[in-house]
Amino acid sequence: MLKRPAVLVAIAATLLTACGSSDPTPSSGGQSQVDSTTKGDWSAVLAEAKGQTVNWYMYGGDEVLNGFINGYVADQLKKFDVTLNQVKITDTADAVNKVLAEKQAGKNDNGSVDAIWVNGENFSTGKQADLWFCGYDQDLPNAKYVNFEDGAVANDFGVPVEGCESVWQQADSALVYDSSKLTEADVASVDSLFAWAQKNKGQFTYPALPDFTGSMAVRTLFYDTAGGPDQFTGPLDEGTYTPAADKLWKRLNGVEPSLWRGGKTYPNSQDDIEKLYGSGEIAAFFSYGPGSVADKVSKGVYPDSTREAVLSVGNIANNSFLGIPYNASHKAAAQVLANVLLDPATQQTLFKTNGTYPAVDLDKLTSDQKAAFESVDLGPSVLPLAELTADTVPELDASYVSRIEKDWKANVLQK
């Protein structure tokens, strides 16, 4: 699951100066390719990685995931004499801005950031600025478990990956709700959910955009309002976007008085939303991490009556990636990290401990490996993986995402 990587705002004004380098060598600050002396030679990568520390910049607000990263993943890296240093951040843009600042300062080697949990707009903007180390993803030994023909692997929010990041987890969206307050009929569609919200004022809301999950919620509503995703392939098209968006803002403004606090304010983050649900202030919310619900139910944070549903519009799904900056000091160690994350045992443990859905293709696993996933029981609160993914819809291109987030502020938040 991806944990709310934020939109890159700070670097947008600098792209014109940051882009345009066609030299692919690190010394020029352009998009770096894998060193020809190690490309395809995993033993050489392992030899270079020995003794290195990989500085992984990533969202640090999920304590269960933090424990997994600093426990299981760190232990696996130690087997290769690689040390993991998790650098916790609240905004992915902070890490990408750091790399951009180093590039602008001419620091094209020995950068301070070795890996970033990245996707969506952050990846897109970083790619435009030639910030990524590229060409290694399919050379990882565990890449054999990845379906690179999958559009959600080959493209990140509509932006071709082109070897510039390595997939490591899958995010699926769902509506989480308290079944003691909502029926299955109430969560069958957006219309039925909104009808319930209007009868049960204050019991539903979503985070203010650009919160990553709040943005997903609005994109889900955008698809529903427009009749599906089919007309929104590729970069932003004003002719198809504007009519659908106008209808969406009218719809959201119509339901706003029924939201938490009458829609006069919106929670700042998904963390705030989850706290509201745990305290009983709201009874339904959209989530990008439906698998993690089981842990919160078992700990008593969420009620036992918690259930999940995919509305008739479908489940927006995407993948999270590991990006290696072009000037990273420890590219070899970062590649070892990327490979460890794709190990089926790592993926299965992450699924079991954090409810994070696998980025590997289960059909590419051995029967025993596949059985390990199928044996994980996340309890009655969590939809089975097959049911959750039965009706997935693609992410919009990053250009649509940026526009929706901007227009939501002007047409909903500030109205």
Side-chain angles (χ1 to χ4, degrees):
M1 160 185 150
L2 37 149
K3 300 286 185 182
R4 317 161 188 94
V7 180
L8 279 175
V9 176
I11 76 172
T14 65
L15 281 178
L16 291 178
T17 58
C19 296
S21 173
S22 60
D23 187 340
T25 62
S27 60
S28 72
Q31 215 171 71
S32 171
Q33 303 301 315
V34 174
D35 190 320
S36 60
T37 61
T38 60
K39 181 170 176 56
D41 185 349
W42 189 244
S43 62
V45 173
L46 292 178
E48 184 180 338
K50 277 194 171 185
Q52 291 186 346
T53 294
V54 56
N55 297 301
W56 187 8
Y57 283 64
M58 63 180 292
Y59 172 76
D62 187 327
E63 292 307 315
V64 176
L65 182 60
N66 290 341
F68 173 77
I69 295 299
N70 292 295
Y72 183 91
V73 174
D75 289 345
Q76 297 306 305
L77 288 173
K78 286 178 184 177
K79 297 176 181 178
F80 302 99
D81 195 16
V82 171
T83 300
L84 175 64
N85 176 38
Q86 181 195 20
V87 182
K88 298 177 183 178
I89 54 177
T90 57
D91 189 334
T92 304
D94 293 341
V96 184
N97 280 336
K98 192 176 186 69
V99 179
L100 182 66
E102 290 179 346
K103 178 179 179 179
Q104 292 175 329
K107 190 175 183 180
N108 296 312
D109 297 289
N110 301 314
S112 55
V113 182
D114 295 316
I116 306 174
W117 175 4
V118 67
N119 72 343
E121 295 155 284
N122 289 295
F123 172 70
S124 174
T125 313
K127 194 179 182 195
Q128 291 177 58
D130 288 340
L131 299 185
W132 304 121
F133 177 65
C134 304
Y136 62 91
D137 61 334
Q138 296 192 39
D139 288 329
L140 302 173
N142 288 325
K144 64 184 178 182
Y145 301 114
V146 177
N147 179 10
F148 289 99
E149 300 301 315
D150 183 347
V153 174
N155 301 281
D156 188 349
F157 281 67
V159 179
V161 169
E162 298 178 324
C164 295
E165 55 183 356
S166 176
V167 67
W168 77 282
Q169 59 168 279
Q170 176 182 315
D172 291 278
S173 61
L175 184 80
V176 179
Y177 69 99
D178 187 341
S179 62
S180 71
K181 298 179 180 179
L182 292 88
T183 67
E184 290 186 5
D186 292 328
V187 297
S189 67
V190 174
D191 281 342
S192 63
L193 175 65
F194 279 12
W196 173 87
Q198 289 167 342
K199 294 177 182 177
N200 298 271
K201 297 185 184 300
Q203 289 283 294
F204 172 70
T205 191
Y206 55 92
L209 281 61
D211 175 88
F212 196 67
T213 307
S215 180
M216 174 274 291
V218 172
R219 295 197 302 276
T220 299
L221 302 173
F222 176 76
Y223 276 159
D224 187 74
T225 303
D230 292 346
Q231 60 184 309
F232 304 107
T233 58
L236 177 71
D237 178 87
E238 289 286 351
T240 55
Y241 168 75
T242 301
D246 288 346
K247 291 179 182 177
L248 175 65
W249 310 140
K250 183 177 180 180
R251 194 180 190 189
L252 292 182
N253 285 321
V255 77
E256 191 173 61
S258 301
L259 301 182
W260 178 74
R261 292 191 175 176
K264 294 179 181 178
T265 185
Y266 290 81
N268 290 322
S269 69
Q270 186 67 8
D271 287 339
D272 291 339
I273 287 284
E274 293 176 5
K275 288 174 183 175
L276 289 174
Y277 179 78
S279 67
E281 284 195 60
I282 63 173
F285 67 94
F286 283 101
S287 173
Y288 245 143
S292 64
V293 166
D295 179 69
K296 293 181 179 179
V297 171
S298 68
K299 292 178 178 176
V301 177
Y302 291 171
D304 290 340
S305 51
T306 298
R307 296 294 184 268
E308 295 175 352
V310 174
L311 304 180
S312 59
V313 62
N315 149 34
I316 290 182
N318 61 52
N319 286 305
S320 286
F321 295 83
L322 182 83
I324 304 175
Y326 82 97
N327 66 341
S329 296
H330 308 119
K331 294 185 180 75
Q335 291 175 74
V336 174
L337 170 62
N339 192 59
V340 164
L341 291 173
L342 285 176
D343 188 299
T346 303
Q347 293 275 307
Q348 192 268 340
T349 305
L350 182 58
F351 182 40
K352 184 176 181 179
T353 60
N354 198 54
T356 300
Y357 297 104
V360 295
D361 185 343
L362 299 189
D363 290 335
K364 291 181 177 292
L365 305 183
T366 66
S367 57
D368 288 345
Q369 290 169 335
K370 190 173 183 178
F373 280 96
E374 294 171 344
S375 68
V376 175
D377 182 8
L378 295 179
S381 295
V382 177
L383 284 173
L385 184 57
E387 187 175 344
L388 177 69
T389 59
D391 190 19
T392 59
V393 292
E395 284 286 6
L396 287 163
D397 184 88
S399 57
Y400 276 102
V401 177
S402 298
R403 180 63 175 274
I404 286 173
E405 291 172 350
K406 175 185 176 182
D407 288 356
W408 178 87
K409 290 181 182 179
N411 293 283
V412 179
L413 183 64
Q414 296 171 359
K415 287 290 185 180

